Each structure stands twice: as structure tokens, then as C-alpha cells.
């Protein structure tokens, strides 16, 4: 993702983790008080997608039955949430 607060995206199968960073160059994390993961999770829920915040990391675990249209919706909602928070 080409968003300023995304430091890394990685996954195995359908499980994906998105690391949120305060500084993309140094990959420095946010202050604990910023609650970046929780804020991002709440914004994703507003956009119709549930993600699990683990500190400054978002974990996506879609069902194995997810289809292409649902994947597109998930990514659009996630990108929108990240853009809004950034």
C-alpha cells in the first residue's frame, strides 16, 4: 500500500498483517497514547469491515469463503480508513 502510515504488509494465506507507523522512512511506531491500531479498527468498523488491532498492527482474517467482490470491498474500506486516519 502506498499510504504514509503503512510500514509493512505481510501475510500467509488469507491472514494478513498491516503495520501502522508514525514515520514510514524509519518505521518508528506511534506513541502508545495515540492508540493508532484501536482508532483504525474503529474506523474500519464504520466502513463495514472488522479488523483486529494488535498495538499498531491490523490483522485481517477473512473467511475462507470470501470472494473477489468481498476482497475488493475489504481493501477499499481499509484504504479509506487508513487515508482518513493518516
Amino acid at each position: 500500500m502506498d499510504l504514509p502510515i503503512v510500514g509493512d504488509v505481510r501475510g500467509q494465506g488469507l491472514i494478513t498483517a498491516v503495520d501502522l507507523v508514525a514515520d514510514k522512512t524509519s518505521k518508528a511506531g506511534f506513541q502508545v497514547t495515540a492508540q493508532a491500531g484501536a482508532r483504525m479498527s474503529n474506523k474500519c468498523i464504520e466502513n463495514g469491515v472488522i479488523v483486529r488491532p494488535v498495538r499498531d498492527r491490523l490483522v485481517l482474517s477473512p473467511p475462507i469463503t470470501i470472494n473477489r467482490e468481498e476482497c475488493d470491498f475489504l481493501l477499499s474500506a481499509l484504504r479509506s480508513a487508513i487515508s482518513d486516519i493518516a
Side-chain angles (χ1 to χ4, degrees):
M1 290 188 159
D2 59 343
L3 297 163
I5 64 170
V6 175
D8 190 27
V9 178
R10 63 192 172 286
Q12 177 92 23
L14 289 176
I15 309 278
T16 305
V18 178
D19 291 338
L20 306 173
V21 294
D23 181 349
K24 195 167 188 161
T25 304
S26 68
K27 299 209 177 177
F30 288 95
Q31 295 290 326
V32 174
T33 56
Q35 298 183 332
R39 289 177 48 220
M40 189 67 61
S41 176
N42 291 336
K43 193 65 171 174
C44 283
I45 289 170
E46 288 176 22
N47 291 344
V49 173
I50 297 172
V51 298
R52 182 173 34 138
V54 178
R55 292 187 219 67
D56 291 343
R57 180 174 296 129
L58 301 177
V59 178
L60 291 79
S61 307
I64 195 141
T65 57
I66 194 167
N67 62 38
R68 177 62 186 246
E69 182 179 304
E70 293 164 333
C71 284
D72 290 344
F73 177 81
L74 185 151
L75 291 175
S76 176
L78 181 61
R79 178 177 284 278
S80 176
I82 292 170
S83 294
D84 288 350
I85 297 294

